[in-house]
Amino acid sequence: MKITGLNFSYPQEMIFKELELTLLPNKLNVIVASNGRGKTTLFDILAGVIPSEYALSNVAYRTQKLRFSPYLTVRQLIELYEKMGMSSINKKYLAPLFEKYIAPKQKMKLGRLSGGQQQLILNYATLLLERDVYLLDEPLSQLDEEVATLFYEQLLELVKINQALFVLTEHDQHRLTNYAKQVNLITIK
């Protein structure tokens, strides 16, 4: 999928001028840019949050600001996502992540979890959905290195077998060095 000539600005600030990028199927597309360079805005455009001709359809979008009631349990949140249309293939490939980090916390309320634990659970739940496009906005920003590594490994396995388009944002390019051959790296300046 190729995006060409994308222009977008807020009243006081130009965000994109003639932005061009290519998103590849069967690759993990990683958009790298420093904070404040428009990664979230780009995802808002692609997800249709900001109306645009570039909006994609059938999108699972995990934003940085996604919040749920702190009184929901982890299990209740996952069940909510499963009711929105679950992919059994995705669930199978994400099982090691679930078993190690999420299953032990199923009865806990979201409000009792750390920011990193909440982020991991929302990443997992978003990837359970059966969609054509997955947009994950800085999904690793609060995860420790061990959890982030397993998440990346499971996500890369999922990308190999799934026909969907996977795009995530990252501001820390060093995490990608081990996965260079499996990643379509896109830099926004």
Side-chain angles (χ1 to χ4, degrees):
M1 175 189 160
K2 193 166 185 80
I3 295 173
T4 59
L6 173 59
N7 294 303
F8 182 80
S9 64
Y10 290 111
Q12 301 295 329
E13 181 181 13
M14 173 64 77
I15 304 297
F16 302 120
K17 184 168 177 68
E18 298 296 317
L19 178 68
E20 295 194 17
L21 55 98
T22 301
L23 302 173
L24 302 174
N26 299 108
K27 283 272 197 184
L28 180 58
N29 296 277
V30 181
I31 298 172
V32 178
S34 58
N35 290 332
R37 300 302 303 160
K39 298 182 302 290
T40 299
T41 299
L42 177 61
F43 272 19
D44 286 349
I45 290 168
L46 295 176
V49 175
I50 297 173
S52 166
E53 66 185 90
Y54 297 97
L56 305 173
S57 58
N58 200 20
V59 174
Y61 180 22
R62 212 277 297 144
T63 70
Q64 291 183 49
K65 298 175 185 141
L66 193 58
R67 300 286 182 254
F68 285 90
S69 167
Y71 303 106
L72 274 178
T73 65
V74 170
R75 182 73 229 146
Q76 289 170 322
L77 177 73
I78 291 170
E79 287 172 355
L80 176 66
Y81 272 76
E82 288 174 344
K83 289 177 183 175
M84 292 189 277
M86 182 186 72
S87 167
S88 56
I89 293 171
N90 290 12
K91 188 172 185 175
K92 176 185 167 194
Y93 275 83
L94 295 169
L97 187 71
F98 177 80
E99 294 301 326
K100 186 166 185 178
Y101 294 109
I102 298 170
K105 302 196 177 334
Q106 286 190 82
K107 294 180 181 178
M108 292 183 70
K109 298 205 183 299
L110 293 174
R112 305 289 299 170
L113 301 174
S114 71
Q117 291 168 330
Q118 289 178 19
Q119 186 178 45
L120 178 64
I121 290 161
L122 289 169
N123 290 342
Y124 171 80
T126 301
L127 290 169
L128 283 182
L129 298 171
E130 188 158 359
R131 298 294 187 267
D132 296 329
V133 179
Y134 296 88
L135 303 175
L136 303 172
D137 196 4
E138 296 201 20
L140 308 176
S141 65
Q142 296 183 48
L143 303 183
D144 66 38
E145 223 32 63
E146 177 185 330
V147 178
T149 298
L150 180 59
F151 179 78
Y152 251 131
E153 289 169 359
Q154 297 304 140
L155 185 56
L156 287 166
E157 288 299 314
L158 194 58
V159 168
K160 285 181 196 173
I161 57 95
N162 197 309
Q163 297 303 309
L165 185 65
F166 290 84
V167 189
L168 63 87
T169 61
E170 179 69 72
H171 66 269
D172 186 3
Q173 194 169 341
H174 91 276
R175 284 192 172 179
L176 305 171
T177 55
N178 295 334
Y179 310 104
K181 291 181 181 172
Q182 300 159 296
V183 168
N184 176 31
L185 185 63
I186 302 160
T187 305
I188 297 177
K189 305 242 183 224

